[in-house]
Amino acid sequence: MLAKVEMDQHRSQSPRSRYQNSHSAHKRQRDGNGRHHSENKYSRPNHHQHHFQSTPGQNPPSSRGLSTRRELYERDFPVYKQPVEVGCFSLDSERRFFNDRRQMRYYVEPDRSPNFDLRDGYKDRFTKRDDCVKEKLDHILRWILANRSKLSSRATAASSCALDVEFVTWRGHLTKLLTTPYETKEGWLLAVTRFRGTLYISEVETEAARRERENRTERHEEMMYWGYKFEQYTCADTAHSLPDPGGVVNTNEAFCTVVQTRLADHRLLFSGEVDCRDKDPKAPAPPACYVELKTSAEICTPKQRSNFHRFKLLKWWAQSFLPGVPRVVAGFRDHEGVVVAVETFPISKISHIIKNEHNCWRPTVCMNFCCEFLSFVKRIVTEDNPSVVYLFSWEPHRDVTYSVHRDSQYSFLPHWYVDGMSSGEDSHQQS
């Protein structure tokens, strides 16, 4: 490969690539229905009635809309506390929830040029999760009910806030927020409900995403499988076993971490799927022992390397930085789906890799926009009611806008969760 990305040429640690403790400034896919329907005076989300046009140099507006222009977020990196794993859960081959680590897998380092055939098993050893089923926040909510004692706030026990966190969501939804200032193709819809003082954020599938999902080519479907197959080649079920690439790939199965952290003054609880962990018994505690696995087309030209830095590394960085996963292992594959090289990308060094790219993305812009969006949500979402949804809408080159929906198709907090939280008792595996 002509332009292989070298990691070890960047030895120094950038202050913009590390977490700091809570006392200092930090310097450095579950959807719902996408149809638009509103039952009150507010607009459909794509009509942009709640819209504010800010002038250059202004801070993001405080009410009707939120700008995504990058220059507004070019300031010091916000405080981001080191994420702490407060729990985990597993989903089995039938997507059933278990409040344990049974689906955890262990990373087995492959050769640098392993020649893994990612096409193997696609036709005859592949059980694909039904992505028409929108799980929303259900699995996280089951975890919360089973672990409420870990989240109860002593300081707010007498207040209306049932959990000691302000936001509950999936890591993937936050990843979309981090990458928004640099996204030029795909918009998003995020439904937000305030319930007992906590703001729950759940993605809604856009019409464009639904069309893309329903019209995928067979080649696209197979390439999505390739990522899961790479995991099968590099993950073992126990710390002392080897991978079994002859087995069935079942994308219903998942292991998810649940982490708690703080971004500026926003207290967050979110969950994200974890591919595997370091099998070394001396490895640090989660999430620092976790490993993210990715596949990408091999890099053969300077233009391909530039695109890899500008687009792929942005999403990889955002996805792993948020929960504190320290490294991404990438399998670079040829056009036929054969992995020809494997590289490790420490998350702390990605900012060094991209620093020479002209007009490239900046971590500080990503984090400041996410922080401002959460502040915006806090200001807008005022009614504490599980049946009221504030739907935040964004399309590239537009401001973030919102609409309000009462007892609508967008409601996403299930009755079993509302009842379970209101009962004041820990609950387990609701259905």
Side-chain angles (χ1 to χ4, degrees), residues 141-152:
L141 303 182
R142 294 181 202 282
W143 182 89
I144 290 173
L145 285 182
N147 296 274
R148 277 185 64 186
S149 59
K150 296 182 180 181
L151 302 172
S152 298

Side-chain angles (χ1 to χ4, degrees), residues 129-147:
R129 182 170 80 86
D130 184 355
D131 54 13
C132 294
V133 176
K134 304 306 175 187
E135 297 171 326
K136 304 176 185 178
L137 297 185
D138 287 7
H139 297 308
I140 306 173
L141 303 182
R142 294 181 202 282
W143 182 89
I144 290 173
L145 285 182
N147 296 274

Side-chain angles (χ1 to χ4, degrees), residues 54-58 69 71-72:
S54 57
T55 56
Q58 271 191 328
R69 294 212 315 278
E71 63 269 23
L72 297 174

Side-chain angles (χ1 to χ4, degrees), residues 265-277:
D265 61 347
H266 307 303
R267 299 193 311 278
L268 311 176
L269 178 81
F270 59 88
S271 179
E273 189 169 345
V274 172
D275 293 329
C276 55
R277 63 155 292 157

Side-chain angles (χ1 to χ4, degrees), residues 1 4 107 109-117 230 233-234 298 329-333 338-343:
M1 297 194 303
K4 198 46 131 160
Y107 176 59
E109 187 170 1
D111 296 336
R112 286 182 62 84
S113 300
N115 289 315
F116 294 148
D117 181 3
F230 180 63
Y233 276 115
T234 53
E298 62 178 325
V329 174
F332 289 92
R333 45 118 187 124
V338 176
V339 174
V340 295
V342 175
E343 297 282 344

Side-chain angles (χ1 to χ4, degrees), residues 187-206:
W188 45 252
L189 290 169
L190 292 173
V192 184
T193 289
R194 183 185 288 273
F195 173 54
R196 299 192 70 187
T198 295
L199 293 153
Y200 296 81
I201 303 177
S202 180
E203 188 176 9
V204 174
E205 186 174 43
T206 64

Side-chain angles (χ1 to χ4, degrees), residues 55-68:
T55 56
Q58 271 191 328
N59 285 328
S62 60
S63 57
R64 295 303 186 189
L66 181 69
S67 175
T68 61

